Amino acid sequence: MSERAGTGRVGRPRSRGAADDGRTPRQEILDAAAALFSESGFAATSTRAIADRVGLRQASLYHHFAGKDEIFLELLEASVRPTLDVVDALRSQAPDAATALHALVVVDVGTLLTGPLGIPALYVAPEVQQPRFEQFREHRRQLGQVYAELARDVVPAGHPVDPRVLGQVCLHLVEMAASLPGVERRPQQIAAACLGACGVNGERAESAARASVEVRAGLSAPAGAGRR
């Protein structure tokens, strides 16, 4: 039986609108769910447990989300969509592929830092392979394709590694690094590491880093502001 059985969508949010730190009840639910999914796994986490962590009645949680799947999909999507939304603008404004790759890494780190900690670790959860999360898998595939295309365009002749592999290396490096302590102070270092993996070093890398600042400043959404 569904854990929603008998509740309907009759719940109302609690009377206070936001947490003491300014988060809305919806954001509190997302943060609590992310923590519980990381601690106990998706399958073992119930909406009741999420509601209890936030201090809501279970019925009230359903005022904000249809169920656990919707919460999980929103968490997953929020870790990739903001970056995808600026990819076209980023690539069009960058003077070369090395600059575009540097800017992409910094923006992508910023996207991860705006969400709850540990979301990339949930990508390997078996539930993510189920059809209901196909939207996220497709968006992450698209992001990986962008990394691969930029890697292809920046690698010097004779580089021994397939650009498709390098693209995945950059993607995974960003996702892993976003969980490290103090990463918010090191997006430039992560970008430099990705360029280095693609054979871009020295003055070429330094030039790309300088130009990346202007590219990111020209995007409609602030880059590196905060997947957390």
Side-chain angles (χ1 to χ4, degrees):
M1 180 181 294
S2 167
E3 60 187 12
R4 275 199 65 181
T7 64
R9 300 197 74 168
V10 298
R12 304 302 302 173
R14 61 184 169 216
S15 57
R16 67 183 179 88
D20 293 341
D21 57 9
R23 290 177 299 160
T24 64
R26 184 180 180 89
Q27 187 58 54
E28 287 185 90
I29 291 169
L30 289 168
D31 289 345
L36 286 167
F37 294 156
S38 296
E39 294 167 10
S40 306
F42 178 81
T45 300
S46 66
T47 53
R48 182 178 299 279
I50 297 170
D52 287 347
R53 176 71 66 98
V54 178
L56 286 172
R57 291 181 295 117
Q58 186 180 19
S60 295
L61 181 147
Y62 292 122
H63 178 76
H64 300 282
F65 294 96
K68 188 170 65 171
D69 284 0
E70 185 178 327
I71 295 171
F72 194 31
L73 181 59
E74 181 159 332
L75 287 168
L76 294 171
E77 281 284 276
S79 71
V80 293
R81 280 305 302 270
T83 299
L84 277 177
D85 287 345
V86 299
V87 159
D88 288 344
L90 183 154
R91 297 179 78 170
S92 67
Q93 294 179 34
D96 53 57
T99 299
L101 179 57
H102 187 286
L104 175 63
V105 171
V106 175
V107 168
D108 204 15
V109 171
T111 294
L112 287 167
L113 290 174
T114 60
L117 285 168
I119 294 302
L122 298 173
Y123 294 172
V124 297
E127 293 83 6
V128 174
Q129 299 306 312
Q130 296 178 1
R132 61 187 186 273
F133 300 116
E134 168 61 26
Q135 176 178 303
F136 160 72
R137 295 199 306 276
E138 173 58 20
H139 288 152
R140 185 166 178 259
R141 186 199 65 77
Q142 291 175 11
L143 184 57
Q145 181 63 30
V146 175
Y147 274 105
E149 291 171 357
L150 292 176
R152 177 199 63 203
D153 292 341
V154 303
V155 293
H159 195 286
V161 183
D162 188 318
R164 292 170 295 183
V165 174
L166 292 171
Q168 288 300 304
V169 167
C170 291
L171 177 64
H172 289 300
L173 178 58
V174 168
E175 292 173 347
M176 289 188 298
S179 64
L180 296 175
V183 67
E184 66 277 2
R185 300 189 297 273
R186 298 197 293 268
Q188 301 280 344
Q189 294 178 25
I190 299 169
C194 289
L195 287 177
C198 295
V200 179
N201 296 287
E203 176 54 35
R204 187 184 177 198
E206 293 174 5
S207 176
R210 290 192 296 269
S212 170
V213 175
E214 294 187 12
V215 170
R216 288 180 281 114
L219 299 177
S220 57
R227 285 172 205 168
R228 186 173 53 183

